[in-house]
Amino acid sequence: MQVSYSRSSLFVSTGITCSSFAFVFSLHIDWGRLGKMGMKKGANRRSKRVQVQNDEDTYEELEARDLELSSSEDEDEALATSAAVEVDDAILDYQTALERHAGRHAEGSDSEDDFYNNENGEDDDEDSSDEERPQRNTVGEVPLEWYSDEEHIGYDTKGQKIVKKERKDKLDELLDKNDSSLAWRTVYDKYNDEEIVLSKEEIRMIQNIRAGRFAHSDVDPYPDENDWFSRHREVMPLSAAPEPKSRFTPSKWEEKKVVKLVRAIRKGWLSTKPPPKKPDVYLLWDQESDELNKTMAGLTYLAAPKMKLPGHDESYNPPKEYLMTEEEKNTAELEAEEANAPPPFIPQAFDALRKVPAYERYINERFERCLDLYLCPRSRVKRMDISDPESLVPKLPKPKELQPFPTILSIKYLGHSSKVTSISVHPSGQWLMSGSKDASVRLWEVSTGRCMCTWTFESPVQRVAWCPKTSLTIISVACEKRLYLIPVKLNTFYEASVEMLQASIQGGQETTEEDKSMPATWSWADVESQGSKVQSVAIEHSFDVKDIAWHNGGDYFCTTCPKGNTKAVLVHQLSKGVTQNPFKKNRGIVTRALFHPTKPFFFVATQQAVRIYNLAKQSLAKKLVSGSGVITSMSIHSSGDHVILGGEDKRVCWYDLDLSSKPYKALRYHDLGVRAVSFHPTYPLFASGSDDGTTHVFHGRVFADLMTNPMIVPVKILRGHQRVNAEGVTDVVFHPKQPWAFTAGADGAIYLHVNP
């Protein structure tokens, strides 16, 4: 009897006993269709086996025929695969019983009782596991390809070589597969070089896995659910308190964390790109790798420079044109002595190489070379391989695409006889005020260039500034130790301006009586204006006033006295007539002071740094380091997050307050020191004036996205001012509503540049 089984099909050949058929029919399975397929396949296999034994065909032809037979049987196997799981288990039990019966029949036992008695038994030889089949090979997880050219495949537990067994050829394997009843469940273990017969339980596990079930039948895929938590929603919550307001407001700590992350990304400390993948294959002895370029002390490894190869002059028998005469020898030695250089090499000729003597300076040169290698700096300068130099130039937009910005000289305001020290534009943009060294202040109409009014003082004017409050027409003028507040008759707000000054004088007198230590005194003073006297308010300081800056609200303004020591910066309140000294001590000479446009911050610029104070907390918030020359001018962006500084070192520094305390950009376009810088209040423009007589206009766009850096592009150079006493442009101011720029120079002229 012979049985062959594959997946869910069964093939029975001749020689089966009646008792075996009785066992088959007791399974209650429809064997009609399976029997037909089995008879068909059995006939095909027998005809194939006979053909192999009779014909002398090649193995390739046999394989081709086997593929043809298998292709014709695919349809039958597809039908057999759709059988139920119970059929597979029954066939497996039946086949195992037949195999045991066949083994006993070969031993001489044909008893049917033994066949049925051992039907449910398990064969010890077939039922094997990993514990019953220990690993003979002890080489570990080593690729077997390493033993492909050897006669053994490894070593056993005693250290003996495991000799490879002779493998059958493909034809013998094909015949054994058809003849043997155990071939369908026999696998070859390459690691131990042996064939293993799978047991009934292992076959059943394989069938379960292929069918998509659990490997072990003891596993319950659908256990009873244990309801650990209640599915019913409770009526009363744990807390019925209303949500706090802090949960609906942005977190300031998250904002600070985001700013730090943005700063780290911009600085390159934090990379958003994935790390580069290491190559799977690399040169093991590559000298250019970073690991091998480091010495034991952590220094960079530098290969010794190659020595110059010898030429014709160093040959033992050089051509005659390389040999020196006595005069040439003496001349070379004298030149070497004068230059304190080692004696030159003098070529010599010898008939044979064996006559060449030892080199006299061999030891000296070896020692000098070793000394050079020992004392050389351990640094390697890598040159950049730049194939396209234009790729290094930043790609900036064209100036035509960034319009509007001032380009054309439109109006000249002439009338001052000396240097114009300061200019200021009214918030409406209709009036321009200028102060000069000729001790006069002039009021100009912007559109026509006509001088509307002139005020004369006893000393040169240092700074002028309009009150930014549109309901008041008050100008502030700094002359030596006095600061004048003058009402101007421009519109209906003149009376409101006079009333404000009267209220400030009353408040100042009351405060002075209560606190006699006030750093400045408020009083009435007359100012001459075109032959008549104009009543104004004079604030007396202890030192010369050099600068004035108003708060955007129009009630507070500050004055700067560089020589004031403890009274260098004073803050005044117009409505109450009060003066305060916020700083008891200033670190350095103060050159400029400004208010933040929207927040309670106060900027104080000294010659070397800018300190930002929080007026609400009365503490130092930040310090900006210039790292350059003396700071001469400062301007704050309308957003309050960016500051530009001008200095005597010809630089204009842009600071991003959210990024760093050091300059984000340093612009070096002027030939001499920068005297004035200014931001446009509405347009993305800023300008700088220098002693070289030029004014540079820049396009400075600030983006709301924190990940995008400000775009700074130079767009225009404004010329026209003449240099007088090594001074050029003294002040630069933008029009509050138009892309126009006003420039004042040491030549006493004021220019208006407009956009066509």
Side-chain angles (χ1 to χ4, degrees):
M1 179 185 66
Q2 185 174 357
V3 180
S4 178
Y5 172 73
S6 176
R7 187 68 185 260
S8 299
S9 58
L10 178 67
F11 311 111
V12 182
S13 61
T14 59
I16 189 168
T17 61
C18 296
S19 59
S20 301
F21 277 112
F23 178 78
V24 171
F25 292 122
S26 65
L27 297 175
H28 303 286
I29 299 174
D30 185 9
W31 294 98
R33 184 175 57 180
L34 297 178
K36 292 180 181 180
M37 290 190 297
M39 296 297 291
K40 181 179 179 181
K41 289 189 177 182
N44 292 336
R45 302 250 181 216
R46 287 194 300 273
S47 61
K48 177 181 177 182
R49 191 182 304 113
V50 172
Q51 187 175 3
V52 170
Q53 294 176 357
N54 296 334
D55 300 339
E56 296 180 356
D57 296 339
T58 60
Y59 177 70
E60 290 76 5
E61 296 177 354
L62 292 176
E63 282 189 340
R65 291 187 185 129
D66 186 65
L67 291 174
E68 293 176 0
L69 292 175
S70 61
S71 61
S72 62
E73 297 170 1
D74 288 343
E75 298 179 359
D76 298 336
E77 290 186 0
L79 295 174
T81 305
S82 62
V85 178
E86 291 80 3
V87 177
D88 295 343
D89 295 340
I91 292 174
L92 184 61
D93 296 338
Y94 172 68
Q95 185 175 0
T96 305
L98 287 181
E99 290 174 359
R100 288 198 298 271
H101 182 69
R104 290 183 176 84
H105 180 71
E107 295 176 358
S109 175
D110 295 336
S111 175
E112 295 183 2
D113 296 336
D114 296 338
F115 177 80
Y116 288 104
N117 291 335
N118 296 329
E119 176 180 321
N120 296 327
E122 295 182 356
D123 195 352
D124 295 338
D125 297 336
E126 295 178 357
D127 189 8
S128 60
S129 61
D130 294 338
E131 296 180 357
E132 296 175 359
R133 290 193 294 267
Q135 298 288 342
R136 294 195 307 156
N137 202 345
T138 60
V139 294
E141 296 181 359
V142 174
L144 295 180
E145 288 79 2
W146 293 4
Y147 294 92
S148 58
D149 298 334
E150 303 293 338
E151 296 181 356
H152 61 286
I153 62 171
Y155 302 89
D156 56 9
T157 56
K158 298 181 180 180
Q160 300 296 330
K161 293 183 178 180
I162 301 177
V163 183
K164 294 181 180 178
K165 297 180 182 179
E166 295 183 358
R167 296 288 297 166
K168 299 179 182 179
D169 55 4
K170 298 296 183 179
L171 183 59
D172 293 339
E173 291 180 359
L174 179 61
L175 295 177
D176 292 343
K177 183 177 180 181
N178 294 329
D179 294 339
S180 176
S181 60
L182 303 178
W184 67 277
R185 56 173 179 170
T186 302
V187 295
Y188 175 67
D189 185 5
K190 294 182 179 180
Y191 190 76
N192 294 313
D193 194 18
E194 61 181 357
E195 294 182 352
I196 300 175
V197 180
L198 301 179
S199 64
K200 176 181 176 181
E201 294 298 329
E202 293 172 343
I203 294 297
R204 189 161 296 170
M205 290 173 61
I206 295 173
Q207 290 179 348
N208 291 338
I209 293 173
R210 295 183 64 180
R213 300 187 297 271
F214 287 97
H216 295 278
S217 59
D218 298 338
V219 178
D220 185 8
Y222 306 104
D224 296 336
E225 182 180 2
N226 190 359
D227 192 3
W228 296 101
F229 303 96
S230 175
R231 299 187 298 274
H232 303 287
R233 184 175 181 180
E234 298 295 337
V235 178
M236 294 298 296
L238 296 178
S239 177
E243 294 290 339
K245 185 179 179 181
S246 60
R247 297 187 181 178
F248 300 93
T249 58
S251 175
K252 63 177 182 179
W253 303 110
E254 292 182 359
E255 181 183 359
K256 291 183 178 180
K257 187 66 176 178
V258 170
V259 170
K260 288 183 179 180
L261 293 176
V262 170
R263 176 186 178 187
I265 294 174
R266 288 182 179 179
K267 286 290 186 179
W269 302 335
L270 181 63
S271 177
T272 57
K273 298 180 180 179
K277 296 182 178 179
K278 295 183 179 180
D280 298 335
V281 181
Y282 60 92
L283 298 176
L284 185 61
W285 306 109
D286 186 13
Q287 296 293 335
E288 297 297 331
S289 60
D290 296 338
E291 290 80 4
L292 298 180
N293 285 342
K294 298 293 183 180
T295 60
M296 295 297 294
L299 301 176
T300 304
Y301 171 76
L302 293 179
K306 297 181 180 179
M307 296 184 65
K308 181 182 177 181
L309 297 177
H312 294 290
D313 54 346
E314 296 181 359
S315 174
Y316 73 93
N317 190 11
K320 293 182 180 180
E321 57 267 18
Y322 287 95
L323 298 176
M324 295 183 180
T325 61
E326 293 296 333
E327 295 180 359
E328 293 175 348
K329 293 179 181 178
N330 297 333
T331 303
E333 292 177 356
L334 290 175
E335 291 178 355
E337 290 179 1
E338 293 177 358
N340 293 328
F345 176 78
I346 299 176
Q348 297 179 3
F350 299 94
D351 298 338
L353 184 60
R354 64 178 181 274
K355 297 181 181 180
V356 178
Y359 183 44
E360 298 177 355
R361 291 185 48 82
Y362 176 76
I363 297 177
N364 295 338
E365 288 187 358
R366 291 294 96 185
F367 175 74
E368 291 175 358
R369 178 172 172 79
C370 294
L371 194 63
D372 292 340
L373 295 177
Y374 175 73
L375 297 178
C376 73
R378 297 299 186 193
S379 61
R380 175 180 297 176
V381 179
K382 294 184 179 180
R383 295 183 179 179
M384 297 177 61
D385 186 10
I386 303 173
S387 57
D388 185 12
E390 296 182 358
S391 61
L392 300 177
V393 180
K395 295 181 180 180
L396 299 176
K398 297 181 180 179
K400 294 182 179 180
E401 301 175 358
L402 303 176
Q403 289 184 350
F405 52 85
T407 56
I408 299 175
L409 176 60
S410 176
I411 300 176
K412 293 183 179 180
Y413 304 91
L414 303 177
H416 288 287
S417 60
S418 183
K419 180 180 74 171
V420 179
T421 57
S422 175
I423 55 177
S424 178
V425 186
H426 190 266
S428 64
Q430 186 179 359
W431 310 101
L432 174 68
M433 184 175 55
S434 62
S436 174
K437 285 286 186 181
D438 58 3
S440 66
V441 173
R442 293 178 179 268
L443 180 65
W444 310 87
E445 188 178 8
V446 173
S447 58
T448 61
R450 183 178 58 175
C451 181
M452 304 297 295
C453 185
T454 303
W455 293 271
T456 305
F457 298 89
E458 298 177 355
S459 58
V461 178
Q462 299 295 335
R463 180 69 64 176
V464 295
W466 281 95
C467 177
K469 196 171 184 178
T470 56
S471 61
L472 300 176
T473 56
I474 299 175
I475 61 173
S476 56
V477 182
C479 298
E480 290 186 349
K481 298 180 181 181
R482 279 193 173 189
L483 174 67
Y484 295 93
L485 299 177
I486 306 172
V488 183
K489 294 182 180 180
L490 295 177
N491 45 32
T492 58
F493 299 115
Y494 174 73
E495 296 179 357
S497 302
V498 174
E499 293 177 359
M500 177 62 71
L501 293 179
Q502 291 176 354
S504 64
I505 288 295
Q506 293 177 1
Q509 292 177 354
E510 294 176 359
T511 306
T512 305
E513 294 177 357
E514 295 177 359
D515 186 8
K516 297 183 180 180
S517 62
M518 193 166 66
T521 58
W522 295 57
S523 62
W524 291 105
D526 294 333
V527 178
E528 183 178 354
S529 174
Q530 297 178 352
S532 61
K533 297 291 184 178
V534 177
Q535 192 177 24
S536 63
V537 175
I539 304 175
E540 191 73 25
H541 293 70
S542 302
F543 301 92
D544 293 344
V545 180
K546 295 295 184 181
D547 188 48
I548 309 169
W550 284 82
H551 188 268
N552 285 349
D555 191 18
Y556 290 91
F557 61 95
C558 67
T559 56
T560 303
C561 306
K563 299 180 180 179
N565 297 328
T566 58
K567 297 181 181 180
V569 179
L570 299 179
V571 179
H572 312 273
Q573 187 175 2
L574 179 62
S575 59
K576 296 182 179 181
V578 179
T579 301
Q580 298 177 359
N581 184 9
F583 308 107
K584 295 181 179 180
K585 183 180 180 181
N586 294 286
R587 298 181 180 179
I589 300 176
V590 179
T591 59
R592 193 90 162 100
L594 294 175
F595 291 94
H596 192 280
T598 57
K599 299 180 181 179
F601 287 98
F602 192 57
F603 294 76
V604 178
T606 59
Q607 291 184 347
Q608 301 299 331
V610 177
R611 289 175 173 84
I612 305 174
Y613 296 93
N614 190 335
L615 299 179
K617 298 181 180 180
Q618 298 183 359
S619 61
L620 179 64
K622 200 167 189 177
K623 179 181 177 181
L624 306 180
V625 181
S626 64
S628 58
V630 178
I631 297 175
T632 58
S633 54
M634 177 174 60
S635 181
I636 304 175
H637 192 264
S638 57
S639 64
D641 296 333
H642 303 271
V643 178
I644 55 175
L645 300 177
E648 293 183 353
D649 58 347
K650 314 174 190 177
R651 298 194 312 169
V652 177
C653 299
W654 179 297
Y655 289 84
D656 189 348
L657 300 184
D658 293 334
L659 183 62
S660 174
S661 60
K662 296 182 179 179
Y664 163 69
K665 286 286 186 181
L667 309 175
R668 304 171 183 266
Y669 294 103
H670 290 286
D671 297 332
L672 296 175
V674 180
R675 294 301 171 187
V677 292
S678 176
F679 270 115
H680 198 288
T682 56
Y683 287 89
L685 298 173
F686 70 95
S688 62
S690 172
D691 285 338
D692 57 5
T694 61
T695 301
H696 290 256
V697 181
F698 299 86
H699 178 89
R701 183 177 295 276
V702 177
F703 299 92
D705 185 11
L706 294 177
M707 297 296 294
T708 306
N709 295 327
M711 182 176 64
I712 303 173
V713 182
V715 292
K716 187 64 178 177
I717 300 177
L718 305 178
R719 306 179 188 273
H721 289 284
Q722 302 295 328
R723 297 184 68 239
V724 178
N725 296 328
E727 293 181 344
V729 178
T730 57
D731 200 2
V732 177
V733 176
F734 280 102
H735 193 278
K737 298 180 180 180
Q738 299 293 335
W740 301 345
F742 299 90
T743 60
D747 53 357
I750 303 171
Y751 294 158
L752 170 61
H753 298 268
V754 299
N755 180 48

